[in-house]
Amino acid sequence: MSQIASPKTHYLKDYQPPAYLIDRVELSFRLDEQSTQVHSVLHLRRNPQGPGGPLRLDGEGLNTLELRLDGRPLVPGEYGMEDGQLSIEQVPQRCRLESRVEINPAANTALEGLYLSSGLFCTQCEAEGFRRISWFIDRPDVMACYRVRIEAERQRYPVLLSNGNPIEQGELAGGRHYAVWDDPFPKPCYLFALVAGDLSHIEASHQTPSGRRVRLRIYSEAENIARCQHAMDSLIKAMLWDERTYGRECDLDVYNIVAVNDFNMGAMENKGLNIFNAKFVLASPESATDADFQAVEGVIAHEYFHNWSGNRVTCRDWFQLSLKEGFTVFRDQEFSADMNSRGVKRIEDVRLLRTHQFAEDAGPMAHPVRPESYVEINNFYTLTVYEKGAELVRMQALLLGPERFRQATDLYFQRHDGQAVTIDDFVACMAEVSGRDLGQFKRWYAQAGTPEVRVEAAYEPQARRYRLRLSQDRQPPLHIPLVLGLLGPEGEELLAEGSRLLELTEASQEFVFEQIARPPLISLNRGFSAPVKIRLDYSDEQLGRLMAQDSDGFNRWDAAQTLSQRLLLGLVAEAAAGRQGAIPAAFIQGLADNLADQATDPALLAETLSLPSEGYLAEQMECVDVDGIHQARERLRQHIGSQLHGPLLALYERCGGSAGADLSPQAMGRRQLRNLTLGYLMASQTPEALALCLRQFEQADNMTERLAALALLAASDAPQRSEALEQFQRHWQGDALVMDKWFGVQASASRPETLQQVRRLMRHPAFSLRNPNRVRALISTFCNANPVCFHAADGSGYAFCREQVLALDGLNPQVAARLVRALVRWRRYPEPRRGLMQRQLQQILAQPGLSGDVHELVSKGLG
Ligand code: TRP
Ligand code: ZN
């Protein structure tokens, strides 16, 4: 447990190279649930570029049995051990340090280091988990070659895996056996991995352009092995894509992926042995939704892409986390865009960024993409580092253009292969290849917060001139690339080239366009070229034109969202003033036109017809009116459902009839559209709608449609509600991932008894606080995806959150720290909520023995 003896702040400016380097490591594991012995031999050498001083190794929770330096046992007095560090003063230039430690995987509930998951031994070392396995210099700029021997009971642990290539295996006395793995690539210890257990696998093979045959295997528990094929297909697609798009091929003989049930995050890119949350490996049409299938494809690709952006070229220190994460997210986003619908993918990514990253950037945990300081690095695996970091790479790709960007990434991978580098090294490659000065651009990495760009425009008819003034609120100003189009009255592009890239580099800057024959309608930040808020006062009529005519699909969608947002926030304001705002007929007519549209890609149409989420609307309010937002949105949904009942029904029927196993973008889009129309119909509360919903629930041949129907029933007061939930449970009780969905739909229902129900579900036999997926499905869903219940005015939701944070903190601080974030934005809510939230945070902070993870977030949240 990361109990805080002294919460130490780490600063980027204090970086020093390591005093010692480790060239080679020999590890030997004698696996046992309660008492695993780890023997390690480190081949060390003093770093000629290092600062000198003693040899310091990191270790946490290790029972040290033996230490030897060059074969000689170290006696107390020759070394010091305190605050998780082993220091040895007198160490030769080159030496061999041997250690033997004992650890207890069965007692490891933090899921960091070596732990047990459903009877399987597995590891998670990023960021600083390796120090819970053995004494080591646990930092990413210490890269070593590993040879690993694993010994375990044969019966229960027939499969023994580590990084690299299997080079030896054999039987031992007493029903035990062993395997030896050798990884030829030097790597930081955060990429070390070990797995041992009773696993099945599927296998495939991939030949790279240079002729290397890579053996691909995906391991899972035997009962899930039939659900691994989609992950394998995705892996091969990702390999081909990286060869084509970045000229990067797989450097391994063996590439293994293992699905585990207990995992703190999504997945981990350990060299040659990726370990995955089962949620991002297993998928079959009966048990997984289309969104699950796409998430599997995306995460499989993400971890594979890390093999170059992260593993071959790694991070010098954890301040550079976005070097690998921002770049790899950009790579996986582009991969998914190429595999599916590019337009829809961009909308989904921007929606995530604007709803959650913008919120983070406006709250007490706001930090730059490259933070300057941290207490607990696990708290910095954030939307800012990942998603905003990806946007910064995207902007550089835009500024360079596709060819130059490719040359720059080639240079980056070639120049820094085998090195641990910084974000400056990455940007330097972009600058060098393009011949551009990116000095100002780099401020993006150092400034927290979302920039705002204000737009003022004037058209001079006589001179046929259009003047555009853009101003930004950032100090010093950022380099902001904004893609612009100018639309004529018929929607025609007025600029010869269609779109133009404007580079805003000053606090306020004027752009002049000549030969503009007619007053233009501006379409700015096309494709969401920069992660900024654009302040531009369009009329409803102008938004309608953009929606209908803009050649940029993203901005068409965005105009629709802005219109709905404007209407909804208007309704909220009216209701707050005691009035019932009007829903304009023109708005409903606009939706009707869309419902009749048979030309547009169905997934894109579904995005256009979706209302902004309650969370996104909350983000737009200075002071959040939780109930007002919910009521306005529900009222509008009901209005749409009844006013457009006929057209919705027609579209619903039109979208039916595709086989659940058809995973083409077209079929997935139709299901998405079908579920969306069903949602509006259910909002109308007609008996026909309920009948449709029940029919869909009972007859769907795929989880996408079945779950959507169940979620609507679970959120309703329909008499069939509990029977549907009961039936679903009976059918899926043996399936953990599907049971997560069952917990989730109940936790997100905005009904008065939901909190009580959530508490009851915590006593369900399938629930456990020790399993992060279950905690996220039930508790995190309640706290983050059910605003009305979480923010109940009596504070019951907040108290529940505090209770669970404290219960989890003793087991798994990383999961507790994720959960506590639900409370940290208390300042945005009006009394009494604000005070109630603040009090829960104070109570958490007062808890003795709080983990460093939760302590950092709560104290920053209160501070
Ligand atoms: N590097 C992983 C990824 O983004 C993230 C990760 C997996 C992680 N497990 C973790 C980070 C545990 C911190 C702790 O692909
Ligand atoms: Zn990653």
Side-chain angles (χ1 to χ4, degrees):
M1 225 109 304
S2 40
Q3 302 300 348
I4 37 152
S6 46
K8 188 171 170 316
T9 304
H10 303 266
Y11 294 95
L12 171 58
K13 63 175 169 48
D14 292 345
Y15 174 80
Q16 287 223 308
Y20 283 82
L21 300 173
I22 305 175
D23 296 318
R24 227 150 40 77
V25 189
E26 294 150 44
L27 289 172
S28 176
F29 289 82
R30 263 192 40 209
L31 293 177
D32 177 274
E33 284 83 355
Q34 276 91 35
S35 166
T36 286
Q37 281 203 18
V38 187
H39 180 257
S40 129
V41 182
L42 307 181
H43 297 265
L44 291 147
R45 109 185 113 86
R46 188 167 293 159
N47 182 4
Q49 267 91 55
L55 169 64
R56 280 187 219 282
L57 301 160
D58 306 291
E60 257 173 56
L62 307 175
N63 178 20
T64 305
L65 306 174
E66 192 182 2
L67 290 170
R68 286 170 183 266
L69 189 61
D70 289 327
R72 195 176 57 77
L74 284 176
V75 294
E78 289 180 299
Y79 62 88
M81 232 184 243
E82 57 175 10
D83 253 357
Q85 288 221 318
L86 166 65
S87 46
I88 311 174
E89 294 288 340
Q90 304 297 325
V91 177
Q93 290 278 346
R94 278 175 180 279
C95 63
R96 219 178 95 103
L97 184 78
E98 242 176 288
S99 71
R100 186 184 304 279
V101 303
E102 182 199 29
I103 52 182
N104 183 350
N108 183 348
T109 57
L111 314 187
E112 212 183 345
L114 178 67
Y115 65 93
L116 282 162
S117 173
S118 311
L120 185 78
F121 282 100
C122 64
T123 55
Q124 172 55 41
C125 293
E126 186 176 6
E128 297 179 332
F130 193 78
R131 61 186 65 185
R132 292 156 190 257
I133 295 174
S134 186
W135 290 106
F136 206 78
I137 308 177
D138 190 354
R139 44 186 287 171
D141 55 355
V142 172
M143 298 167 80
C145 289
Y146 287 67
R147 176 165 294 202
V148 180
R149 184 179 184 282
I150 310 166
E151 182 194 315
E153 189 190 303
R154 174 179 256 296
Q155 179 103 48
R156 277 188 299 162
Y157 307 103
V159 176
L160 306 174
L161 305 173
S162 190
N163 318 84
N165 299 311
I167 56 170
E168 198 188 320
Q169 55 187 307
E171 302 300 320
L172 297 166
R176 294 177 72 82
H177 71 149
Y178 75 96
V180 181
W181 290 79
D182 185 76
D183 186 356
F185 293 96
K187 64 170 177 283
C189 65
Y190 82 86
L191 292 173
F192 166 80
L194 174 154
V195 170
D198 188 1
L199 291 164
S200 298
H201 69 263
I202 59 168
E203 184 170 316
S205 165
H206 174 75
Q207 180 152 17
T208 69
S210 72
R212 174 190 293 275
R213 273 225 160 268
V214 190
R215 190 191 82 186
L216 314 174
R217 280 188 178 176
I218 300 183
Y219 290 85
S220 81
E221 294 167 309
E223 68 257 36
N224 290 324
I225 201 68
R227 294 188 188 165
C228 293
Q229 193 55 43
H230 176 68
M232 184 65 91
D233 296 344
S234 302
L235 177 60
I236 294 171
K237 284 184 192 166
M239 290 183 147
L240 290 165
W241 186 89
D242 213 17
E243 289 163 4
R244 218 176 331 112
T245 316
Y246 284 85
R248 297 292 120 198
E249 59 172 73
C250 187
D251 55 15
L252 300 154
D253 302 321
V254 189
Y255 191 95
N256 288 326
I257 291 175
V258 181
V260 305
N261 297 326
D262 306 271
F263 203 70
N264 281 348
M265 306 267 284
M268 181 62 212
E269 70 264 24
N270 315 303
K271 185 82 185 181
L273 179 53
N274 290 181
I275 299 181
F276 271 64
N277 186 328
K279 180 176 166 55
F280 296 108
V281 176
L282 308 178
S284 69
E286 316 76 64
S287 66
T289 63
D290 295 337
D292 293 330
F293 273 89
Q294 291 186 317
V296 168
E297 181 180 81
V299 179
I300 290 273
H302 179 98
E303 306 311 330
Y304 173 67
F305 297 154
H306 268 314
N307 193 50
W308 276 97
S309 48
N311 301 2
R312 285 287 284 257
V313 182
T314 195
C315 301
R316 187 192 72 173
D317 53 69
W318 293 120
F319 297 101
Q320 319 298 328
L321 182 57
S322 194
L323 174 71
K324 75 175 176 83
E325 295 304 346
F327 188 21
T328 303
V329 170
F330 172 70
R331 279 152 57 70
D332 84 55
Q333 288 176 345
E334 287 296 292
F335 165 75
S336 294
D338 284 345
M339 296 299 116
N340 304 289
S341 155
R342 175 163 287 273
V344 173
K345 177 64 179 155
R346 188 65 186 138
I347 289 168
E348 289 167 353
D349 292 340
V350 173
R351 186 192 284 126
L352 174 71
L353 186 86
R354 284 207 281 208
T355 309
H356 296 108
Q357 194 281 325
F358 281 17
E360 181 170 275
D361 235 350
M365 268 301 288
H367 56 276
V369 170
R370 175 159 63 186
E372 251 117 62
S373 70
Y374 62 78
V375 178
E376 175 51 64
I377 188 56
N378 284 328
N379 285 334
F380 285 79
Y381 286 76
T382 58
L383 288 146
T384 299
V385 166
Y386 277 65
E387 308 301 320
K388 187 176 179 183
E391 295 300 320
L392 305 196
V393 176
R394 184 177 294 279
M395 284 193 284
Q396 292 170 77
L398 176 66
L399 287 169
L400 266 67
E403 272 121 68
R404 288 258 168 84
F405 181 69
R406 169 64 194 272
Q407 288 164 15
T409 58
D410 283 353
L411 175 65
Y412 170 72
F413 287 127
Q414 171 242 309
R415 177 182 285 173
H416 298 297
D417 191 9
Q419 298 178 355
V421 301
T422 63
I423 285 168
D424 303 292
D425 295 316
F426 180 86
V427 181
C429 293
M430 300 288 141
E432 197 171 310
V433 162
S434 62
R436 299 193 55 149
D437 180 354
L438 295 177
Q440 182 183 6
F441 183 85
K442 274 170 62 173
R443 289 174 189 160
W444 275 105
Y445 284 102
Q447 280 189 19
T450 305
E452 285 190 17
V453 173
R454 232 187 35 249
V455 183
E456 294 151 291
Y459 180 63
E460 299 165 7
Q462 267 78 39
R464 300 174 19 124
R465 182 179 295 136
Y466 183 63
R467 290 175 182 281
L468 188 62
R469 175 159 291 281
L470 302 180
S471 319
Q472 58 171 305
D473 65 343
R474 295 286 110 178
Q475 224 12 276
L478 294 172
H479 182 172
I480 304 177
L482 293 164
V483 176
L484 161 100
L486 297 177
L487 298 187
E490 265 76 59
E492 74 277 18
E493 300 280 359
L494 295 177
L495 296 173
E497 68 272 42
S499 282
R500 184 176 300 175
L501 176 59
L502 307 183
E503 298 188 28
L504 175 62
T505 53
E506 286 156 40
S508 179
Q509 206 169 331
E510 188 175 66
F511 298 88
V512 180
F513 302 84
E514 305 287 355
Q515 305 299 322
I516 303 296
R518 291 186 271 171
L521 174 60
I522 180 174
S523 168
L524 192 60
N525 208 17
R526 284 184 159 174
F528 204 68
S529 57
V532 300
K533 292 182 182 164
I534 301 284
R535 296 291 177 219
L536 205 173
D537 288 317
Y538 287 114
S539 67
D540 286 1
E541 186 268 334
Q542 288 175 319
L543 286 171
R545 277 175 61 203
L546 285 171
M547 238 175 94
Q549 300 179 332
D550 199 336
S551 66
D552 185 65
F554 178 83
N555 273 5
R556 278 202 305 277
W557 169 79
D558 200 29
Q561 291 291 295
T562 307
L563 263 181
S564 318
Q565 173 191 321
R566 188 175 284 181
L567 169 58
L568 284 162
L569 293 177
L571 294 178
V572 173
E574 290 284 319
R579 292 186 295 266
Q580 187 174 80
I583 299 171
F587 183 85
I588 300 300
Q589 187 53 50
L591 289 177
D593 293 346
N594 276 315
L595 292 176
D597 179 348
Q598 301 208 31
T600 306
D601 163 20
L604 199 58
L605 197 53
E607 299 294 354
T608 307
L609 286 165
S610 301
L611 298 178
S613 68
E614 292 179 28
Y616 182 73
L617 292 166
E619 214 29 56
Q620 315 310 314
M621 293 185 81
E622 204 66 53
C623 191
V624 184
D625 179 355
V626 180
D627 295 324
I629 289 172
H630 180 73
Q631 280 150 16
R633 197 169 177 282
E634 285 311 302
R635 184 181 153 219
L636 180 57
R637 280 164 44 75
Q638 186 180 357
H639 189 79
I640 294 169
S642 23
Q643 294 290 303
L644 298 176
H645 207 267
L648 284 165
L649 266 176
L651 182 56
Y652 179 84
E653 295 301 346
R654 228 174 36 240
C655 289
S658 62
D662 182 353
L663 294 170
S664 63
Q666 196 68 17
M668 290 199 273
R670 283 155 58 99
R671 284 192 286 269
Q672 193 182 345
L673 201 46
R674 194 161 205 247
N675 288 339
L676 183 86
T677 53
L678 184 62
Y680 284 126
L681 288 166
M682 276 293 275
S684 75
Q685 298 181 346
T686 59
E688 288 127 286
L690 179 58
L692 276 188
C693 191
L694 289 166
R695 191 186 72 185
Q696 176 166 324
F697 173 69
E698 274 151 23
Q699 296 177 6
D701 65 346
N702 64 87
M703 185 54 83
T704 306
E705 289 177 336
R706 192 183 307 278
L707 184 67
L710 181 66
L712 289 168
L713 292 169
S716 77
D717 288 320
Q720 296 87 341
R721 176 182 189 275
S722 41
E723 174 48 28
L725 285 165
E726 197 41 51
Q727 190 188 323
F728 189 91
Q729 171 183 218
R730 269 199 309 276
H731 193 262
W732 293 107
Q733 55 196 351
D735 189 311
L737 293 177
V738 181
M739 284 302 283
D740 284 339
K741 300 180 193 302
W742 183 79
F743 284 119
V745 295
Q746 296 179 79
S748 57
S750 46
R751 311 171 79 241
E753 48 300 8
T754 294
L755 176 56
Q756 245 191 339
Q757 178 63 8
V758 168
R759 287 188 183 277
R760 218 173 298 132
L761 287 170
M762 286 187 67
R763 297 192 292 272
H764 190 284
F767 184 81
S768 164
L769 270 188
R770 288 168 196 257
N771 177 271
N773 283 357
R774 232 94 317 135
V775 169
R776 285 183 282 254
L778 187 61
I779 302 175
S780 308
T781 299
F782 178 82
C783 296
N784 296 304
N786 191 342
V788 170
C789 295
F790 176 64
H791 292 281
D794 62 0
S796 54
Y798 308 146
F800 173 72
C801 184
R802 183 248 310 144
E803 272 170 50
Q804 302 316 321
V805 166
L806 291 177
L808 281 163
D809 198 44
L811 296 168
N812 188 329
Q814 279 186 46
V815 173
R818 294 259 158 208
L819 184 62
V820 82
R821 285 170 193 261
L823 288 168
V824 301
R825 300 200 65 207
W826 55 280
R827 285 190 181 82
R828 299 277 315 283
Y829 296 87
E831 290 294 359
R833 292 178 169 90
R834 166 195 172 103
L836 289 165
M837 291 172 94
Q838 185 188 21
R839 220 154 310 134
Q840 301 302 332
L841 287 171
Q842 287 161 343
Q843 284 187 36
I844 293 171
L845 199 63
Q847 182 75 12
L850 201 63
S851 72
D853 305 57
V854 171
H855 187 275
E856 177 178 23
L857 295 184
V858 175
S859 50
K860 284 182 178 166
L862 283 170

